[in-house]
């Protein structure tokens, strides 16, 4: 199984690339964590943000593996604990199909993307910069894996 993180925006600072690479390397061979940056639309004075968001959504949809379980990261999505995320990860592993996690641009995901998603997940009601979202997402997916695998990394219940 692969966890495909498909995110709008391609140029990330070195610290983000390093953190994402670190957590991705910790994942086991049967649960690969792969990040892919997709081009953001050109924003400027007078830009049609609705059109840009739709176009970015179309790029996310086109990059998504066929038959993947789709998770939309959305501030209005479900906020879950690490343990609940671990249960979801365990279910995805049992199904054996790829998972695509969509991270939209500055305006979020298009309505078409939200409608296509199997699950809407909110990392927090707080707003994070896109580079920070990638690091949090990588760490939380690794943390969920550590719970599933019984590793001592997560000590949330102590």
């Amino acid at each position: 199984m692969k966890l495909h993180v498909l995110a709008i925006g391609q140029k990330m600072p070195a610290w983000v690339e390093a953190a994402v690479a670190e957590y991705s390397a910790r994942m086991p061979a049967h649960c690969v964590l792969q990040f892919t940056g997709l081009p953001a639309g050109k924003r400027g004075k007078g830009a049609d943000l609705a059109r840009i968001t739709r176009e970015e959504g179309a790029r996310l949809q086109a990059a998504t593996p066929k038959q993947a379980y789709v998770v939309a990261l959305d501030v209005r999505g479900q906020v879950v604990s690490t343990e609940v995320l671990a249960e979801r990860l365990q279910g995805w592993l049992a199904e054996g199909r790829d998972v695509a996690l969509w991270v939209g641009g500055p305006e979020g995901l298009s309505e078409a993307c939200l409608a296509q998603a199997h699950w809407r997940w909110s990392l927090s009601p707080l707003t994070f910069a896109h580079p920070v979202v990638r690091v949090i997402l990588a760490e939380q997916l690794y943390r969920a894996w550590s719970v599933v695998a019984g590793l001592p990394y997560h000590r949330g219940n102590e």
Side-chain angles (χ1 to χ4, degrees):
M1 180 188 84
K2 279 189 181 177
L3 298 167
H4 300 268
V5 177
L6 305 171
I8 299 299
Q10 294 177 300
K11 295 179 182 173
M12 289 295 117
W15 62 270
V16 173
E17 297 292 344
V20 166
E22 173 65 27
Y23 288 112
S24 297
R26 293 181 185 191
M27 297 295 282
H30 67 278
C31 187
V32 174
L33 178 56
Q34 177 181 331
F35 278 72
T36 303
L38 301 169
K42 185 168 175 61
R43 288 162 172 80
K45 189 174 183 178
D48 183 348
L49 298 178
R51 178 189 52 77
I52 290 170
T53 302
R54 284 191 307 273
E55 290 171 354
E56 290 172 345
R59 283 194 284 281
L60 287 166
Q61 290 169 320
T64 301
K66 299 226 182 311
Q67 305 303 317
Y69 181 90
V70 177
V71 177
L73 272 80
D74 180 31
V75 70
R76 297 162 301 205
Q78 184 181 11
V79 177
V80 297
S81 67
T82 297
E83 292 77 13
V84 170
L85 180 60
E87 288 172 10
R88 286 208 173 242
L89 178 60
Q90 195 164 30
W92 299 334
L93 285 163
E95 281 187 29
R97 69 178 177 169
D98 286 354
V99 176
L101 296 106
W102 288 344
V103 180
E107 291 77 32
L109 293 166
S110 69
E111 288 303 318
C113 285
L114 293 174
Q116 184 181 347
H118 296 101
W119 180 45
R120 293 185 194 183
W121 176 25
S122 174
L123 294 177
S124 168
L126 299 171
T127 301
F128 299 116
H130 272 65
V132 175
V133 167
R134 292 178 194 215
V135 174
I136 292 171
L137 188 53
E139 193 277 340
Q140 286 301 300
L141 290 169
Y142 172 72
R143 182 176 294 274
W145 163 251
S146 75
V147 170
V148 170
L151 301 177
Y153 181 81
H154 177 68
R155 294 182 175 93
N157 292 331
E158 293 181 4

